[in-house]
Structures are given as C-alpha cells and as structure tokens.
Amino acid sequence: MNTRAASVNRRQAGIALTALAVLALTTACGDKDYASSAAGDRVQPAGQGTSDKGSGYDYGAGSDKGGGYGKDAAGGAAAGGLGAAAKTLALKEAPGLGKVVTDGQGLTLYRFDKDTAKPPKSACAGDCASTWPPVPAADAKAATGINAADLGSVTRADGEKQLTLGGWPVYRYAKDTGPGDTKGQDVGGVWHALAADGGKAGEAAPQKPAAPEADVSVAENAMLGKIIVDGKGRTLYRFTKDNPWPMKFACTGACLDTWKPAEPADKSKVEGVPAKLISTVTRPDGTKQLAVDCWPMYLFKGDKAPGDVNGQGVKGTWFTVGPDGKKITKSAAAPSGY
C-alpha cells in the first residue's frame, strides 16, 4: 500500500512539473512573440512603409499635403514625378485673368516665380512637385494664339524633361480638378496662370510709351526720293520767289488760297531732318510759319492725300525739299513705262 501511494505521488509530481515547464515555455514563447511583433512595427523591410525618398513624396488622394493629386487624379503625378502629357495647348478665357494657357484636357497651366526662364530652371521638386506636377515636354503642341517657337524643355534634376513656355517651366495644380479651375492663381504670391507668351495671365503687358508724333519727318517718294513732310505726312514745298535772307515773303494775298503756310514745328519732334535746319518765321500779318534752312514752307491745295506731290515744279517756282534742306528739282511725273 505504501509502495503504491509513493508511486502515485511520484506520478502526480511529475505531471505537475511537466505542467509548470509547459507554462514556463508558453510564457517565454509569448514574450518572444511579443518582442518580435514590436520589433516588426518599428523596423520594416526596404520598400515598405516609409518611402525611401523621404516623407511627403507620395501622398494619397486624400492627403492635404498632396492636394488630392494622386496617381488617379486627372493629369496627376505620384512621388513628385511628371504629370500627364499636355497634348495640344489652348487659350481659354478665365474670369479676372483674361486668356490663360490650358492643356489638352482644359486644365490651367502655371508658372513659378522662384524658377528662372533665362536659362530655364525649375526650383520645384519633392513635396512641391507633388502639389504642382511638372508637365512633360513630350507630346506638347501649340494651338492658335501660342507661338510654337515659345515651347521648349528643361531637364529636371531627376533627368526628366519638363515643358517650358517662353522659357518658364510649366506646371499643373493639384487642387484644380476640372477644366476652367484656376485655384492655383497667386498661391503664395508666387504661382501664376500662364499667359500665351509665358508671362503671367492677368498682368498687363508693359506699355511702350507712344512715340510723339513728328511735326516734321522724311517720306520716301518713288520719283523724287526722300522728301520732307509735315506731321500728317503731307508734302512740304518752298517758293523760289521767297527769300531766306533778308527775309522776303512773295506768296501773299490770293497765292495763300492755293499755298497754305505750314504750321511751326517743335524741334524735339523732328525726325530725319537736322534740328538746326528747323526754325519759325513771322509773316507780314504776324502769323508764324515753319521754315527749313530759313526758307518758308507751304502745303499745296492740290495735294489730296499724304504722299501726293502734285505741287512739284508748278510754274517752275514750287519745289519739294530734301532732308538736307535743299530743293528737289526732279520731275514728279512717272517716266515712260513706270
């Protein structure tokens, strides 16, 4: 009896020890699995989880940083790469901006003030290029209103060729989701919709100051060569019966019905004639008259339009004048066969 009891006790003790060993092994395996799992959360194989290019390159369509411009967005680019081909560019009217350049899908195209056009260089990469996808140079064509010679390309840091317009690198904006959108206009004060020549849409082109209308200039006549004309292009004449020194006016009275004294000229508004030849003389009635090389100048009533020289050689006393102030005695009649 004692022997059997001892045997049972030994068997029970063995079972207990086995259970403890299993429990201990299970606990240890649990700790090991937990540690392995935790390590797996912290360290991941290359190419999974965190991008090799750094955070901010490949935002999903719902990311604020990516501007909703993931792989599936119209014209979008993932990880800061080039966007969709531009196809045929066009000019579309945009409220408050006038005509802006769009791609073949009607999406507005932009330029960046931090880029340069001469030489072309892009300053938008990484996160920037995710929000502002660069437009590829390949398969881009100009439409009416855009000079094909203004299209070009710039090689980006990643070796891709980006479209340029007027030297400026071209982009789309992530938050423009459909044709006609111009949400990228003036973002940060440095992004602008493109004008046809690569300028900023909505920005008035600098106006060249209008050249002052010349009071006296030179015109080319087929028969007479270079002749002096007034501000309206009308031919000026001199009268050989006048005299420059001492001053004598032989055209008075009824003569003035046919030959009108020319208005004085501003010497700062003279083109093609030495200013020193231009002066103003006072007629007997006190009115002022233009003089060239001291000779009073006249307009002929028989000239009906600018360029007419019907007064040339009239009565052998009326002649046009060249840029040197000398009278021109050639005939204004066209030679035979002219």
Side-chain angles (χ1 to χ4, degrees), residues 30-298:
D31 289 342
K32 183 177 181 180
D33 288 345
Y34 174 82
S36 176
S37 175
D41 288 343
R42 294 193 299 267
V43 181
Q44 299 181 26
Q48 297 181 17
T50 304
S51 168
D52 291 337
K53 293 184 178 180
S55 61
Y57 276 84
D58 188 7
Y59 301 110
S63 168
D64 291 336
K65 290 184 178 180
Y69 223 104
K71 291 181 180 179
D72 297 329
L82 296 181
K87 303 293 184 181
T88 302
L89 305 183
L91 291 175
K92 301 293 184 182
E93 196 72 28
L97 294 175
K99 292 188 180 298
V100 302
V101 180
T102 66
D103 66 9
Q105 298 182 42
L107 295 173
T108 303
L109 301 179
Y110 298 87
R111 52 172 275 180
F112 185 29
D113 283 352
K114 294 184 180 180
D115 289 347
T116 59
K118 297 181 180 180
K121 185 177 180 181
S122 172
C124 180
D127 291 358
C128 174
S130 293
T131 302
W132 302 90
V135 177
D139 203 14
K141 298 178 182 178
T144 302
I146 300 174
N147 188 348
D150 287 338
L151 298 183
S153 67
V154 60
T155 302
R156 297 176 55 79
D158 59 5
E160 299 279 6
K161 288 192 177 296
Q162 180 178 359
L163 177 67
T164 61
L165 178 59
W168 289 95
V170 178
Y171 306 83
R172 295 184 181 90
Y173 182 45
K175 295 184 180 180
D176 282 352
T177 56
D181 285 354
T182 55
K183 297 173 184 176
Q185 174 63 19
D186 205 33
V187 168
V190 293
W191 289 94
H192 307 277
L194 277 163
D197 60 355
K200 301 174 184 178
E203 184 174 83
Q207 297 294 319
K208 294 182 179 179
E213 184 180 79
D215 289 344
V216 175
S217 61
V218 176
E220 188 75 33
N221 181 271
M223 282 75 74
L224 304 177
K226 294 183 183 297
I227 60 174
I228 293 179
V229 298
D230 73 354
K232 295 180 179 179
R234 299 175 296 183
T235 303
L236 294 172
Y237 301 85
R238 84 183 199 188
F239 186 30
T240 58
K241 292 185 178 182
D242 283 347
N243 196 66
W245 193 261
M247 183 62 64
K248 175 186 174 182
F249 296 91
C251 183
T252 59
C255 175
L256 297 178
D257 292 336
T258 303
W259 301 91
K260 180 182 177 182
E263 295 288 337
D266 182 341
K267 285 191 176 185
S268 68
K269 297 181 180 180
V270 174
E271 295 180 359
V273 181
K276 66 182 181 180
L277 295 181
I278 305 300
S279 61
T280 300
V281 294
T282 303
R283 295 185 57 80
D285 61 3
T287 60
K288 305 295 182 180
Q289 183 176 357
L290 169 68
V292 175
D293 198 21
C294 294
W295 286 86
M297 303 303 292
Y298 300 82

